[in-house]
Amino acid sequence: MTQAPTSNDACLSIVHSLMCHRQGGESESFAKRAIESLVKKLKEKRDELDSLITAITTSGAHSTKCVTIQRTLDGRLQVAGRKGFPHVIYARIWRWPDLHKNELKHCKFCHYAFDLKQDSVCVNPYHYERVVSPGIDLSGLNIQHAAAASAMSHGLPSPMGEGFGAQVSSHVSQSPTLSNISAFPPRSSMAATATWVGNNTATYTSSQDPQFWNNNHMQSSDVQSLPPLTNQNPPEFWCTITYFELDQQVGETFKVPYSYARVTVDGYTDPSSLDRFCLGQLSNVHRTETSDKARLHIGKGVQLDYNGEGDVWIRCVSDHSVFVQSYYLDREAGRQPGDAVHKIYPSAYIKVFDIRQCHRQMQEQAATAQAAAAAQAAAVAGNVPGPASVGGIAPAVGLSAAAGIGVDDLRRLCILRLSFVKGWGPDYPRHSIKETPCWIEVQLHRPLQLLDEVLQTMPINEPRPRGFFLG
């Protein structure tokens, strides 16, 4: 493991090290600007800078001091043209990518917490806890922490083994405080009655692997299984993976049966593994030098884990980052769907697809598209009721923008795209994934099955958006 820097090191080295621990809640460029700004402000306060480095590089495993910056007049910090509360900005970067400003509560030992309204503000992410109000969906809770918390509250040994108890505490509360949401695969919803505190870290031991929990290692009365989204039998394969170099498909599509909840996509050459898609064995007579060089760095690649009814998690086991297009991560980061590319650093393990969110999204988009098509059809017929219509011509209807939604647009909700080694998007010279040297497309079959159900429930005789044809 690379040794953490100290306050004596150059700002560039410190920033690079701290960037390796970001959780993806902000774009890479914004996070870099925010971290650079903070490091420069702390250069004259070496002890606080060392506290920040220790807190972030150990994921809060060690007790650290307040890390303070000057409070501004309106309490907000401006970074790259954006304003936000400083303690929220840095907590989103290093701990909770989907954090909202009203979800933070400072720890009792923090002397310069934002809410204390002193001249200096503490931005140490590990001096705050996350508060989730009752009624909020807690399906993303860290099931390992929940199990340990439940066990400890009943005086039982922690299922995570000795040493984990020091990181987890539990007590009954009406508004649970969480230090780790969506850090591990959700298997169920938890009742909003417990408080537990743990560390959000990018590397995990084997006992924290989702497969460990898939084998009934944890039984808790707090866990309630969610009802299935459909009564249909699952498809034969949970996903198919297609490999591309630039805009050209290379090799056959790889199919993953349900008997393999984990599949590895790597750069090696085993031609017969049913749970490994080895890209190194695939030949391409049109392969470019750029693709050839990038393929050398795929290495151990990535692991895709299928969880629950259809959630998907990715672990980067390559020595190089991978880049993912994920509507789930877009939503968690507060971005428009398809607006961002998410960088996953080596050893990071992150949820990239939530089947229930996807199901809601496809239902909403299909309904909106159909309503838009109906509004347009009524406008053409000159039959738009209501005072807003003028001479039979429809007014500017907000739904009209959705009339162009078709099956292909909804199908994209069921697809993940991942590029090895090279990124694309606003922060990179490559604007499309088809300009990256080696990438994969993962089609998820259970969501596609749900989409088929959604489309078939639409009335056949009513106007349809383009592309909505059912056989």
Side-chain angles (χ1 to χ4, degrees):
M1 182 176 292
T2 305
Q3 186 175 359
T6 70
S7 58
N8 293 320
D9 290 308
C11 287
L12 188 62
S13 299
I14 299 172
V15 171
H16 176 76
S17 175
L18 297 179
M19 278 288 288
C20 291
H21 294 271
R22 56 184 283 267
Q23 297 299 307
E26 301 286 358
S27 69
E28 184 173 12
S29 58
F30 179 87
K32 188 175 182 181
R33 292 279 293 276
I35 295 172
E36 284 176 343
S37 172
L38 180 57
V39 170
K40 288 177 181 176
K41 289 174 181 175
L42 296 175
K43 257 301 185 179
E44 301 303 318
K45 298 187 284 187
R46 297 291 178 99
D47 57 336
E48 293 188 21
L49 181 52
D50 282 324
S51 287
L52 175 70
I53 294 169
T54 299
I56 302 308
T57 57
T58 66
S59 301
H62 300 288
S63 176
T64 50
K65 299 178 180 179
C66 285
V67 177
T68 62
I69 60 174
Q70 188 71 25
R71 180 185 291 269
T72 59
L73 289 176
D74 65 356
R76 295 184 298 168
L77 177 69
Q78 181 162 323
V79 177
R82 281 174 45 191
K83 277 195 170 186
F85 296 108
H87 62 313
V88 176
I89 289 175
Y90 293 107
R92 276 174 59 88
I93 290 174
W94 283 311
R95 295 198 71 183
W96 305 285
D98 58 344
L99 179 73
H100 297 290
K101 64 181 181 181
N102 58 346
E103 293 179 345
L104 281 186
K105 174 185 176 183
H106 69 268
C107 300
K108 292 182 179 179
F109 53 77
C110 184
H111 303 299
Y112 295 94
F114 181 84
D115 294 339
L116 299 181
K117 301 190 183 303
Q118 300 199 48
D119 290 339
S120 295
V121 178
C122 178
V123 294
N124 186 335
Y126 293 93
H127 278 208
Y128 294 88
E129 297 172 345
R130 188 173 188 178
V131 177
V132 178
S133 301
I136 289 183
D137 179 18
L138 298 180
S139 60
L141 285 180
N142 174 343
I143 200 166
Q144 284 83 344
H145 290 175
S150 177
M152 291 172 60
S153 65
H154 292 88
L156 300 175
S158 167
M160 300 300 292
E162 293 183 12
F164 188 78
Q167 301 176 29
V168 183
S169 62
S170 174
H171 63 268
V172 176
S173 169
Q174 288 302 311
S175 63
T177 303
L178 299 97
S179 288
N180 195 353
I181 290 185
S182 295
F184 296 93
R187 297 288 292 172
S188 55
S189 294
M190 300 295 301
T193 57
T195 298
W196 48 92
V197 179
N199 294 319
N200 195 356
T201 176
T203 56
Y204 305 95
T205 63
S206 59
S207 62
Q208 292 168 313
D209 191 288
Q211 295 303 105
F212 177 85
W213 295 101
N214 285 348
N215 298 322
N216 296 319
H217 281 75
M218 192 198 78
Q219 299 291 336
S220 171
S221 59
D222 293 329
V223 177
Q224 299 176 350
S225 298
L226 294 171
L229 293 171
T230 177
N231 292 322
Q232 290 191 68
N233 290 327
E236 182 180 1
F237 305 103
W238 70 263
C239 79
T240 50
I241 306 172
T242 309
Y243 171 62
F244 295 86
E245 293 175 4
L246 301 176
D247 61 352
Q248 182 181 22
Q249 179 178 338
V250 179
E252 300 294 327
T253 296
F254 188 83
K255 300 177 180 179
V256 185
Y258 276 89
S259 54
Y260 295 98
R262 167 173 292 172
V263 61
T264 300
V265 183
D266 60 37
Y268 303 127
T269 58
D270 188 337
S272 57
S273 294
L274 297 178
D275 62 345
R276 281 177 59 198
F277 187 16
C278 296
L279 306 181
Q281 63 167 316
L282 302 177
S283 60
N284 177 11
V285 294
H286 302 293
R287 180 167 292 148
T288 65
E289 183 180 359
T290 303
S291 294
D292 197 38
K293 289 181 178 179
R295 281 165 55 85
L296 294 174
H297 299 292
I298 295 175
K300 295 181 180 179
V302 295
Q303 293 170 345
L304 305 176
D305 285 339
Y306 180 94
N307 230 267
E309 194 170 357
D311 294 352
V312 178
W313 289 66
I314 284 181
R315 184 193 305 274
C316 178
V317 286
S318 171
D319 291 333
H320 295 264
S321 298
V322 295
F323 302 82
V324 177
Q325 188 176 60
S326 158
Y327 287 170
Y328 170 76
L329 289 180
D330 291 344
R331 182 164 180 153
E332 292 298 293
R335 305 288 291 268
Q336 290 297 315
D339 183 44
V341 178
H342 304 271
K343 185 175 184 178
I344 302 179
Y345 286 87
S347 300
Y349 189 52
I350 189 168
K351 183 178 181 180
V352 292
F353 182 81
D354 185 295
I355 193 167
R356 291 182 179 274
Q357 178 204 302
C358 179
H359 189 228
R360 288 193 299 270
Q361 198 168 352
M362 63 177 64
Q363 287 177 316
E364 292 167 1
Q365 288 194 16
T368 300
Q370 186 172 8
Q376 288 185 342
V380 171
N383 184 27
V384 181
S389 60
V390 180
I393 304 299
V397 182
L399 289 174
S400 63
I405 296 177
V407 173
D408 285 343
D409 301 283
L410 294 173
R411 187 175 61 85
R412 291 188 188 99
L413 299 175
C414 311
I415 291 175
L416 296 169
R417 286 179 162 184
L418 181 149
S419 170
F420 294 97
V421 186
K422 301 294 184 181
W424 83 97
D427 297 328
Y428 298 90
R430 306 164 200 84
H431 299 295
S432 164
I433 194 172
K434 294 182 179 180
E435 298 173 42
T436 62
C438 43
W439 58 281
I440 57 173
E441 181 175 276
V442 183
Q443 287 205 16
L444 304 173
H445 289 202
R446 188 65 161 177
L448 287 169
Q449 189 179 46
L450 293 175
L451 176 57
D452 185 67
E453 277 191 356
V454 169
L455 297 180
Q456 293 202 48
T457 58
M458 296 173 65
I460 291 178
N461 295 327
E462 293 189 9
R464 293 177 177 276
R466 64 169 177 81
F468 282 81
F469 302 106
L470 301 175

